[in-house]
Amino acid sequence: LAKTTQPISMDSYEGQEVNITCSHNNIATNDYITWYQQFPSQGPRFIIQGYKTKVTNEVASLFIPADRKSSTLSLPRVSLSDTAVYYCLVGDRGAGSYQLTFGKGTKLSVIP
Amino acid sequence: DAGVIQSPRHEVTEMGQEVTLRCKPISGHNSLFWYRQTMMRGLELLIYFNNNVPIDDSGMPEDRFSAKMPNASFSTLKIQPSEPRDSAVYFCASSLKGSLANEQFFGPGTRLTVL
């Protein structure tokens, strides 16, 4: 079971780029790295997923080094509406990934 | 699509009472998950169904909790008897494929308060 470690909280000013790093030292060969975002009083929402190198979509970028023991979620030019909790998860997309845990995530506070 | 639907959105009950939470997954999704979220423990997976069959219920805290999925469009999470420590937000999520690592779509949650 690949365990993840991420900072409990981060603060950022509006307009800045925010990078949240997640450690997953015992990631397995078939594991993918997935990030979710959760706003207050809502369920988590999928942001991005990757296996290696870099993945980019309209919301964020995900950087994964060659050893895959960590990953960094990058949010460009954050706004107040990006204030949320961000979760890093690691798991196998094939059948049998039964023990994926969200944990407590990283609480990002964007300051005007 | 309306997304994952949960009911009720809020539930207040007294200790010892039975509580039933309901979930309608997104049509066509094969997997359904029940989570519980508290400040102390974060978001915890309780149970996971694949094609209406419970796959892993190791996260269910104790025998007072039970979950069923009688068909592909409906699931229930029951707590009997309820206790104050069960107070939490309960989320239901569904996904297209049968793995937790695939994109999960969450419902709005049910906020349960047990007095």
Side-chain angles (χ1 to χ4, degrees), chain A residues 10-18 75-84 86 108-112:
Chain A
M10 293 181 69
D11 293 336
S12 175
Y13 288 102
E14 268 192 298
Q16 290 189 330
E17 178 183 79
V18 171
L75 305 172
R77 297 180 298 282
V78 294
S79 64
L80 296 176
S81 62
D82 292 315
T83 293
Y86 292 83
L108 172 65
S109 298
V110 179
I111 306 164

Side-chain angles (χ1 to χ4, degrees), chain B residues 19-33:
Chain B
V19 174
T20 299
L21 311 181
R22 296 172 177 79
C23 175
K24 176 179 169 55
I26 292 172
S27 178
H29 280 191
N30 297 320
S31 299
L32 183 140
F33 315 87

Side-chain angles (χ1 to χ4, degrees), chain A residues 11-97:
Chain A
D11 293 336
S12 175
Y13 288 102
E14 268 192 298
Q16 290 189 330
E17 178 183 79
V18 171
N19 295 309
I20 306 175
T21 297
C22 178
S23 298
H24 27 81
N25 291 320
N26 58 342
I27 188 170
T29 302
N30 293 332
D31 286 346
Y32 279 73
I33 300 156
T34 309
W35 285 81
Y36 283 80
Q37 174 191 56
Q38 185 178 24
F39 296 115
S41 302
Q42 294 184 26
R45 182 181 68 135
F46 175 93
I47 300 177
I48 197 166
Q49 183 178 74
Y51 183 79
K52 62 180 179 180
T53 61
K54 177 184 175 182
V55 180
T56 297
N57 62 22
E58 65 279 4
V59 177
S61 294
L62 179 60
F63 297 92
I64 305 168
D67 66 6
R68 304 201 324 124
K69 293 184 182 298
S70 66
S71 59
T72 299
L73 175 73
S74 181
L75 305 172
R77 297 180 298 282
V78 294
S79 64
L80 296 176
S81 62
D82 292 315
T83 293
V85 178
Y86 292 83
Y87 298 93
C88 165
L89 291 84
V90 172
D92 188 341
R93 293 200 306 192
S97 183

Side-chain angles (χ1 to χ4, degrees), chain B residues 64-79:
Chain B
R64 298 184 297 105
F65 286 69
S66 63
K68 294 182 180 179
M69 191 166 186
N71 56 61
S73 59
F74 183 66
S75 177
T76 59
L77 177 68
K78 186 175 293 186
I79 308 173

Side-chain angles (χ1 to χ4, degrees), chain A residues 32 34 36 38 41-46 49 87 89 91-104, chain B residues 9 35 37 39-43 45 48 55-56 58 91 98-109 111:
Chain A
Y32 279 73
T34 309
Y36 283 80
Q38 185 178 24
S41 302
Q42 294 184 26
R45 182 181 68 135
F46 175 93
Q49 183 178 74
Y87 298 93
L89 291 84
D92 188 341
R93 293 200 306 192
S97 183
Y98 306 144
Q99 297 182 11
L100 213 56
T101 58
F102 276 78
K104 295 187 178 181
Chain B
R9 293 294 308 278
Y35 290 88
Q37 186 169 38
M39 290 291 291
M40 290 293 294
R41 301 174 68 92
L43 193 61
L45 177 66
Y48 156 42
I55 301 299
D56 183 12
S58 60
F91 288 103
S99 165
L100 287 159
N102 287 300
E103 180 176 358
Q104 297 178 51
F105 295 81
F106 282 76
R111 181 173 296 276

